[in-house]
PDB file of all heavy atoms in Angstrom:
ATOM      1  N   SER A 270     -28.078 -38.355  45.967  1.00 98.00           N
ATOM      2  CA  SER A 270     -28.787 -39.203  46.905  1.00 98.00           C
ATOM      3  C   SER A 270     -30.123 -38.614  47.262  1.00 98.00           C
ATOM      4  O   SER A 270     -30.316 -37.368  47.186  1.00 98.00           O
ATOM      5  CB  SER A 270     -27.926 -39.367  48.216  1.00 98.00           C
ATOM      6  OG  SER A 270     -27.808 -38.165  48.856  1.00 98.00           O
ATOM      7  N   GLY A 271     -31.064 -39.483  47.658  1.00 98.00           N
ATOM      8  CA  GLY A 271     -32.396 -39.012  48.059  1.00 98.00           C
ATOM      9  C   GLY A 271     -32.819 -39.777  49.279  1.00 98.00           C
ATOM     10  O   GLY A 271     -32.538 -40.962  49.447  1.00 98.00           O
ATOM     11  N   SER A 272     -33.564 -39.116  50.196  1.00 97.00           N
ATOM     12  CA  SER A 272     -33.851 -39.726  51.516  1.00 97.00           C
ATOM     13  C   SER A 272     -35.280 -39.417  51.952  1.00 97.00           C
ATOM     14  O   SER A 272     -35.953 -38.581  51.366  1.00 97.00           O
ATOM     15  CB  SER A 272     -32.871 -39.104  52.510  1.00 97.00           C
ATOM     16  OG  SER A 272     -33.246 -39.345  53.850  1.00 97.00           O
ATOM     17  N   ASP A 273     -35.665 -40.125  53.025  1.00 96.00           N
ATOM     18  CA  ASP A 273     -36.923 -39.822  53.653  1.00 96.00           C
ATOM     19  C   ASP A 273     -36.956 -38.544  54.405  1.00 96.00           C
ATOM     20  O   ASP A 273     -37.985 -38.129  54.984  1.00 96.00           O
ATOM     21  CB  ASP A 273     -37.298 -41.003  54.600  1.00 96.00           C
ATOM     22  CG  ASP A 273     -37.956 -42.162  53.920  1.00 96.00           C
ATOM     23  OD1 ASP A 273     -38.487 -41.969  52.787  1.00 96.00           O
ATOM     24  OD2 ASP A 273     -38.017 -43.278  54.460  1.00 96.00           O
ATOM     25  N   ASP A 274     -35.865 -37.783  54.458  1.00 94.00           N
ATOM     26  CA  ASP A 274     -35.831 -36.472  55.033  1.00 94.00           C
ATOM     27  C   ASP A 274     -36.300 -35.432  54.002  1.00 94.00           C
ATOM     28  O   ASP A 274     -36.201 -34.240  54.224  1.00 94.00           O
ATOM     29  CB  ASP A 274     -34.473 -36.122  55.623  1.00 94.00           C
ATOM     30  CG  ASP A 274     -33.348 -36.056  54.564  1.00 94.00           C
ATOM     31  OD1 ASP A 274     -33.633 -36.105  53.369  1.00 94.00           O
ATOM     32  OD2 ASP A 274     -32.195 -35.951  54.999  1.00 94.00           O
ATOM     33  N   ASN A 275     -36.787 -35.900  52.823  1.00 94.00           N
ATOM     34  CA  ASN A 275     -37.339 -35.069  51.792  1.00 94.00           C
ATOM     35  C   ASN A 275     -36.312 -34.359  50.936  1.00 94.00           C
ATOM     36  O   ASN A 275     -36.681 -33.589  50.064  1.00 94.00           O
ATOM     37  CB  ASN A 275     -38.328 -34.079  52.298  1.00 94.00           C
ATOM     38  CG  ASN A 275     -39.404 -34.575  53.208  1.00 94.00           C
ATOM     39  OD1 ASN A 275     -39.531 -35.787  53.402  1.00 94.00           O
ATOM     40  ND2 ASN A 275     -40.264 -33.709  53.746  1.00 94.00           N
ATOM     41  N   LEU A 276     -35.055 -34.570  51.147  1.00 95.00           N
ATOM     42  CA  LEU A 276     -34.012 -33.862  50.482  1.00 95.00           C
ATOM     43  C   LEU A 276     -33.225 -34.687  49.417  1.00 95.00           C
ATOM     44  O   LEU A 276     -33.023 -35.871  49.627  1.00 95.00           O
ATOM     45  CB  LEU A 276     -32.985 -33.313  51.478  1.00 95.00           C
ATOM     46  CG  LEU A 276     -33.536 -32.385  52.558  1.00 95.00           C
ATOM     47  CD1 LEU A 276     -32.453 -32.031  53.586  1.00 95.00           C
ATOM     48  CD2 LEU A 276     -34.063 -31.036  51.943  1.00 95.00           C
ATOM     49  N   CYS A 277     -32.886 -34.025  48.355  1.00 97.00           N
ATOM     50  CA  CYS A 277     -31.887 -34.573  47.421  1.00 97.00           C
ATOM     51  C   CYS A 277     -30.527 -33.890  47.723  1.00 97.00           C
ATOM     52  O   CYS A 277     -30.513 -32.681  47.956  1.00 97.00           O
ATOM     53  CB  CYS A 277     -32.267 -34.279  45.982  1.00 97.00           C
ATOM     54  SG  CYS A 277     -33.833 -35.033  45.485  1.00 97.00           S
ATOM     55  N   LYS A 278     -29.450 -34.635  47.681  1.00 96.00           N
ATOM     56  CA  LYS A 278     -28.163 -34.074  47.947  1.00 96.00           C
ATOM     57  C   LYS A 278     -27.156 -34.434  46.859  1.00 96.00           C
ATOM     58  O   LYS A 278     -27.292 -35.530  46.255  1.00 96.00           O
ATOM     59  CB  LYS A 278     -27.637 -34.549  49.340  1.00 96.00           C
ATOM     60  CG  LYS A 278     -28.390 -33.959  50.503  1.00 96.00           C
ATOM     61  CD  LYS A 278     -27.743 -34.257  51.817  1.00 96.00           C
ATOM     62  CE  LYS A 278     -28.473 -33.610  52.975  1.00 96.00           C
ATOM     63  NZ  LYS A 278     -27.823 -33.863  54.293  1.00 96.00           N
ATOM     64  N   VAL A 279     -26.225 -33.574  46.671  1.00 96.00           N
ATOM     65  CA  VAL A 279     -25.127 -33.772  45.687  1.00 96.00           C
ATOM     66  C   VAL A 279     -23.833 -33.984  46.475  1.00 96.00           C
ATOM     67  O   VAL A 279     -23.526 -33.159  47.392  1.00 96.00           O
ATOM     68  CB  VAL A 279     -24.991 -32.607  44.726  1.00 96.00           C
ATOM     69  CG1 VAL A 279     -23.905 -32.816  43.719  1.00 96.00           C
ATOM     70  CG2 VAL A 279     -26.369 -32.283  44.022  1.00 96.00           C
ATOM     71  N   TRP A 280     -23.070 -34.980  46.153  1.00 95.00           N
ATOM     72  CA  TRP A 280     -21.834 -35.317  46.831  1.00 95.00           C
ATOM     73  C   TRP A 280     -20.683 -35.373  45.839  1.00 95.00           C
ATOM     74  O   TRP A 280     -20.766 -35.925  44.756  1.00 95.00           O
ATOM     75  CB  TRP A 280     -21.972 -36.693  47.529  1.00 95.00           C
ATOM     76  CG  TRP A 280     -23.085 -36.832  48.445  1.00 95.00           C
ATOM     77  CD1 TRP A 280     -24.375 -37.196  48.133  1.00 95.00           C
ATOM     78  CD2 TRP A 280     -23.081 -36.533  49.842  1.00 95.00           C
ATOM     79  NE1 TRP A 280     -25.163 -37.135  49.270  1.00 95.00           N
ATOM     80  CE2 TRP A 280     -24.407 -36.755  50.336  1.00 95.00           C
ATOM     81  CE3 TRP A 280     -22.116 -36.100  50.732  1.00 95.00           C
ATOM     82  CZ2 TRP A 280     -24.739 -36.560  51.677  1.00 95.00           C
ATOM     83  CZ3 TRP A 280     -22.440 -35.957  52.064  1.00 95.00           C
ATOM     84  CH2 TRP A 280     -23.735 -36.165  52.520  1.00 95.00           C
ATOM     85  N   ASP A 281     -19.556 -34.728  46.263  1.00 92.00           N
ATOM     86  CA  ASP A 281     -18.333 -34.778  45.486  1.00 92.00           C
ATOM     87  C   ASP A 281     -17.392 -35.690  46.215  1.00 92.00           C
ATOM     88  O   ASP A 281     -16.917 -35.374  47.315  1.00 92.00           O
ATOM     89  CB  ASP A 281     -17.769 -33.358  45.327  1.00 92.00           C
ATOM     90  CG  ASP A 281     -16.618 -33.327  44.287  1.00 92.00           C
ATOM     91  OD1 ASP A 281     -15.930 -34.380  44.121  1.00 92.00           O
ATOM     92  OD2 ASP A 281     -16.353 -32.264  43.740  1.00 92.00           O
ATOM     93  N   ARG A 282     -17.097 -36.851  45.600  1.00 86.00           N
ATOM     94  CA  ARG A 282     -16.263 -37.834  46.298  1.00 86.00           C
ATOM     95  C   ARG A 282     -14.863 -37.337  46.576  1.00 86.00           C
ATOM     96  O   ARG A 282     -14.225 -37.805  47.461  1.00 86.00           O
ATOM     97  CB  ARG A 282     -16.194 -39.109  45.435  1.00 86.00           C
ATOM     98  CG  ARG A 282     -17.540 -39.807  45.165  1.00 86.00           C
ATOM     99  CD  ARG A 282     -17.288 -41.142  44.547  1.00 86.00           C
ATOM    100  NE  ARG A 282     -16.397 -41.953  45.329  1.00 86.00           N
ATOM    101  CZ  ARG A 282     -15.736 -43.020  44.857  1.00 86.00           C
ATOM    102  NH1 ARG A 282     -15.914 -43.358  43.557  1.00 86.00           N
ATOM    103  NH2 ARG A 282     -14.916 -43.705  45.590  1.00 86.00           N
ATOM    104  N   ARG A 283     -14.393 -36.387  45.816  1.00 84.00           N
ATOM    105  CA  ARG A 283     -13.115 -35.798  46.074  1.00 84.00           C
ATOM    106  C   ARG A 283     -13.028 -35.006  47.370  1.00 84.00           C
ATOM    107  O   ARG A 283     -11.943 -34.708  47.881  1.00 84.00           O
ATOM    108  CB  ARG A 283     -12.701 -34.951  44.888  1.00 84.00           C
ATOM    109  CG  ARG A 283     -12.482 -35.717  43.604  1.00 84.00           C
ATOM    110  CD  ARG A 283     -12.512 -34.803  42.381  1.00 84.00           C
ATOM    111  NE  ARG A 283     -13.816 -34.193  42.162  1.00 84.00           N
ATOM    112  CZ  ARG A 283     -14.151 -33.530  41.064  1.00 84.00           C
ATOM    113  NH1 ARG A 283     -13.266 -33.355  40.128  1.00 84.00           N
ATOM    114  NH2 ARG A 283     -15.350 -33.011  40.961  1.00 84.00           N
ATOM    115  N   CYS A 284     -14.220 -34.733  47.917  1.00 80.00           N
ATOM    116  CA  CYS A 284     -14.263 -33.939  49.197  1.00 80.00           C
ATOM    117  C   CYS A 284     -14.785 -34.784  50.356  1.00 80.00           C
ATOM    118  O   CYS A 284     -14.926 -34.242  51.483  1.00 80.00           O
ATOM    119  CB  CYS A 284     -15.173 -32.725  48.968  1.00 80.00           C
ATOM    120  SG  CYS A 284     -14.667 -31.622  47.670  1.00 80.00           S
ATOM    121  N   PHE A 285     -15.059 -36.038  50.123  1.00 69.00           N
ATOM    122  CA  PHE A 285     -15.572 -36.894  51.222  1.00 69.00           C
ATOM    123  C   PHE A 285     -14.655 -36.875  52.505  1.00 69.00           C
ATOM    124  O   PHE A 285     -15.100 -36.637  53.562  1.00 69.00           O
ATOM    125  CB  PHE A 285     -15.694 -38.330  50.767  1.00 69.00           C
ATOM    126  CG  PHE A 285     -17.054 -38.635  50.174  1.00 69.00           C
ATOM    127  CD1 PHE A 285     -17.255 -39.868  49.510  1.00 69.00           C
ATOM    128  CD2 PHE A 285     -18.088 -37.742  50.190  1.00 69.00           C
ATOM    129  CE1 PHE A 285     -18.482 -40.153  48.932  1.00 69.00           C
ATOM    130  CE2 PHE A 285     -19.335 -38.027  49.625  1.00 69.00           C
ATOM    131  CZ  PHE A 285     -19.504 -39.221  48.986  1.00 69.00           C
ATOM    132  N   ILE A 286     -13.411 -37.126  52.233  1.00 57.00           N
ATOM    133  CA  ILE A 286     -12.483 -37.316  53.347  1.00 57.00           C
ATOM    134  C   ILE A 286     -12.222 -35.969  54.081  1.00 57.00           C
ATOM    135  O   ILE A 286     -12.201 -35.879  55.298  1.00 57.00           O
ATOM    136  CB  ILE A 286     -11.086 -37.952  52.911  1.00 57.00           C
ATOM    137  CG1 ILE A 286     -11.401 -39.382  52.385  1.00 57.00           C
ATOM    138  CG2 ILE A 286     -10.138 -37.987  54.036  1.00 57.00           C
ATOM    139  CD1 ILE A 286     -10.206 -40.012  51.792  1.00 57.00           C
ATOM    140  N   SER A 287     -11.994 -34.904  53.296  1.00 55.00           N
ATOM    141  CA  SER A 287     -11.634 -33.637  53.877  1.00 55.00           C
ATOM    142  C   SER A 287     -12.836 -32.939  54.494  1.00 55.00           C
ATOM    143  O   SER A 287     -12.701 -32.241  55.493  1.00 55.00           O
ATOM    144  CB  SER A 287     -11.012 -32.724  52.772  1.00 55.00           C
ATOM    145  OG  SER A 287     -11.939 -32.474  51.729  1.00 55.00           O
ATOM    146  N   LYS A 288     -14.014 -33.097  53.951  1.00 60.00           N
ATOM    147  CA  LYS A 288     -15.129 -32.331  54.447  1.00 60.00           C
ATOM    148  C   LYS A 288     -16.229 -33.260  55.082  1.00 60.00           C
ATOM    149  O   LYS A 288     -16.807 -32.887  56.109  1.00 60.00           O
ATOM    150  CB  LYS A 288     -15.824 -31.541  53.286  1.00 60.00           C
ATOM    151  CG  LYS A 288     -14.903 -30.426  52.776  1.00 60.00           C
ATOM    152  CD  LYS A 288     -15.658 -29.575  51.715  1.00 60.00           C
ATOM    153  CE  LYS A 288     -14.786 -28.469  51.196  1.00 60.00           C
ATOM    154  NZ  LYS A 288     -15.503 -27.640  50.174  1.00 60.00           N
ATOM    155  N   GLY A 289     -16.501 -34.366  54.471  1.00 68.00           N
ATOM    156  CA  GLY A 289     -17.515 -35.260  54.988  1.00 68.00           C
ATOM    157  C   GLY A 289     -18.874 -34.685  54.970  1.00 68.00           C
ATOM    158  O   GLY A 289     -19.801 -35.075  55.745  1.00 68.00           O
ATOM    159  N   LYS A 290     -19.152 -33.756  54.082  1.00 85.00           N
ATOM    160  CA  LYS A 290     -20.476 -33.170  53.940  1.00 85.00           C
ATOM    161  C   LYS A 290     -20.844 -32.970  52.474  1.00 85.00           C
ATOM    162  O   LYS A 290     -20.022 -32.978  51.628  1.00 85.00           O
ATOM    163  CB  LYS A 290     -20.572 -31.830  54.693  1.00 85.00           C
ATOM    164  CG  LYS A 290     -19.685 -30.730  54.131  1.00 85.00           C
ATOM    165  CD  LYS A 290     -19.897 -29.435  54.895  1.00 85.00           C
ATOM    166  CE  LYS A 290     -19.057 -28.309  54.289  1.00 85.00           C
ATOM    167  NZ  LYS A 290     -19.269 -27.050  55.070  1.00 85.00           N
ATOM    168  N   ALA A 291     -22.122 -32.778  52.229  1.00 92.00           N
ATOM    169  CA  ALA A 291     -22.617 -32.675  50.867  1.00 92.00           C
ATOM    170  C   ALA A 291     -22.104 -31.392  50.178  1.00 92.00           C
ATOM    171  O   ALA A 291     -21.927 -30.380  50.811  1.00 92.00           O
ATOM    172  CB  ALA A 291     -24.137 -32.694  50.858  1.00 92.00           C
ATOM    173  N   ALA A 292     -21.936 -31.545  48.871  1.00 92.00           N
ATOM    174  CA  ALA A 292     -21.570 -30.316  48.084  1.00 92.00           C
ATOM    175  C   ALA A 292     -22.748 -29.412  47.978  1.00 92.00           C
ATOM    176  O   ALA A 292     -22.582 -28.143  47.804  1.00 92.00           O
ATOM    177  CB  ALA A 292     -21.098 -30.736  46.685  1.00 92.00           C
ATOM    178  N   GLY A 293     -23.940 -29.921  48.124  1.00 93.00           N
ATOM    179  CA  GLY A 293     -25.128 -29.061  48.010  1.00 93.00           C
ATOM    180  C   GLY A 293     -26.400 -29.833  48.299  1.00 93.00           C
ATOM    181  O   GLY A 293     -26.409 -31.076  48.292  1.00 93.00           O
ATOM    182  N   VAL A 294     -27.471 -29.078  48.609  1.00 95.00           N
ATOM    183  CA  VAL A 294     -28.791 -29.646  48.966  1.00 95.00           C
ATOM    184  C   VAL A 294     -29.808 -29.058  47.999  1.00 95.00           C
ATOM    185  O   VAL A 294     -29.768 -27.880  47.657  1.00 95.00           O
ATOM    186  CB  VAL A 294     -29.131 -29.342  50.420  1.00 95.00           C
ATOM    187  CG1 VAL A 294     -30.572 -29.824  50.712  1.00 95.00           C
ATOM    188  CG2 VAL A 294     -28.146 -29.930  51.362  1.00 95.00           C
ATOM    189  N   LEU A 295     -30.765 -29.907  47.572  1.00 96.00           N
ATOM    190  CA  LEU A 295     -31.878 -29.432  46.751  1.00 96.00           C
ATOM    191  C   LEU A 295     -33.192 -29.755  47.397  1.00 96.00           C
ATOM    192  O   LEU A 295     -33.479 -30.915  47.750  1.00 96.00           O
ATOM    193  CB  LEU A 295     -31.797 -30.113  45.399  1.00 96.00           C
ATOM    194  CG  LEU A 295     -30.667 -29.597  44.490  1.00 96.00           C
ATOM    195  CD1 LEU A 295     -30.303 -30.650  43.446  1.00 96.00           C
ATOM    196  CD2 LEU A 295     -31.048 -28.293  43.817  1.00 96.00           C
ATOM    197  N   MET A 296     -33.969 -28.701  47.689  1.00 95.00           N
ATOM    198  CA  MET A 296     -35.282 -28.821  48.346  1.00 95.00           C
ATOM    199  C   MET A 296     -36.425 -28.668  47.355  1.00 95.00           C
ATOM    200  O   MET A 296     -36.272 -27.943  46.379  1.00 95.00           O
ATOM    201  CB  MET A 296     -35.382 -27.778  49.435  1.00 95.00           C
ATOM    202  CG  MET A 296     -34.323 -27.837  50.525  1.00 95.00           C
ATOM    203  SD  MET A 296     -34.408 -26.469  51.706  1.00 95.00           S
ATOM    204  CE  MET A 296     -33.735 -25.117  50.685  1.00 95.00           C
TER     205      MET A 296
END
Side-chain angles (χ1 to χ4, degrees):
S270 66
S272 166
D273 275 341
D274 64 10
N275 307 357
L276 299 173
C277 297
K278 291 189 176 183
V279 181
W280 303 88
D281 190 333
R282 296 189 56 199
R283 294 162 292 189
C284 302
F285 270 171
I286 297 176
S287 61
K288 294 184 178 180
K290 65 179 183 180
V294 176
L295 288 157
M296 299 174 287

